[in-house]
Amino acid sequence: PKPKEFIKDEKTFHYSVGALIKQGGKYLLVDRAIEPFGFAAVAGHLDEGETAEQALVREIEEEVGLKIIAQKLVLEEFIDWNWCSKGVTGHFWYLFDCEASGEIKQNYRETKSVEWYSQDEIKKLKLEPVWGYLFKKLKII
């Protein structure tokens, strides 16, 4: 397991996971209630001693109440300009395509809304900056 943060060029960075949950041609996105604001896929930091897969399961359950049925790693990338409210300026991302089940239960502390969006609808949303970058990279928008 990787640690929650790592040091590069004397700066601290975090490891993060993101979940691309797609159903019926639409992606599950949250409108973030915590900075950085904007629409994003379900995501979060790895806790100390946690694997990316463990963090993925925990974050999906915490933010939207769903259980993962299957996941596939689709991207691993360090993004040095991706800041967060915890004060770091970069994140190493593990991005997964996920299949999930259950009923959506919104976490009101972390999200303003949880909805399904088509690719055309996502293009019109004010995305959290890192998700604008990731969705373009993956050709979702």
Side-chain angles (χ1 to χ4, degrees):
K2 294 198 174 11
K4 174 172 85 167
E5 19 185 71
F6 65 101
I7 309 291
K8 181 178 175 189
D9 302 330
E10 298 180 16
K11 290 183 188 167
T12 302
F13 300 99
H14 287 161
Y15 287 93
S16 291
V17 293
L20 297 170
I21 304 170
K22 191 175 180 185
Q23 210 173 66
K26 293 189 172 194
Y27 290 88
L28 187 64
L29 300 184
V30 299
D31 187 3
R32 292 176 47 87
I34 299 169
E35 288 191 275
F37 297 118
F39 286 85
V42 175
H45 293 112
L46 273 71
D47 287 340
E48 191 100 26
E50 199 174 38
T51 66
E53 292 78 9
Q54 290 167 332
L56 185 72
V57 168
R58 179 182 50 75
E59 287 292 342
I60 290 173
E61 194 165 330
E62 281 177 11
E63 283 190 26
V64 294
L66 298 177
K67 302 261 188 242
I68 292 185
I69 299 168
Q71 81 267 352
K72 178 183 167 205
L73 184 65
V74 293
L75 180 92
E76 279 184 69
E77 182 176 340
F78 175 65
I79 302 173
D80 64 357
W81 52 265
N82 177 212
W83 65 276
C84 76
S85 61
K86 295 189 180 0
V88 301
T89 55
H91 288 78
F92 188 95
W93 280 91
Y94 297 96
L95 198 55
F96 293 86
D97 270 337
C98 298
E99 201 177 316
S101 70
E103 199 170 310
I104 292 173
K105 294 180 193 87
Q106 182 178 345
N107 177 332
Y108 290 93
R109 191 179 63 74
E110 294 190 22
T111 64
K112 298 177 197 172
S113 68
V114 179
E115 299 287 336
W116 296 96
Y117 296 94
S118 69
Q119 288 175 265
D120 284 339
E121 290 168 329
I122 293 170
K123 290 175 188 172
K124 297 172 188 155
L125 295 174
K126 184 185 182 308
L127 298 169
E128 179 192 345
V130 74
W131 284 100
Y133 168 79
L134 291 168
F135 287 154
K136 283 180 183 136
K137 183 168 186 137
L138 295 169
K139 297 181 176 32
I140 292 169
I141 59 171

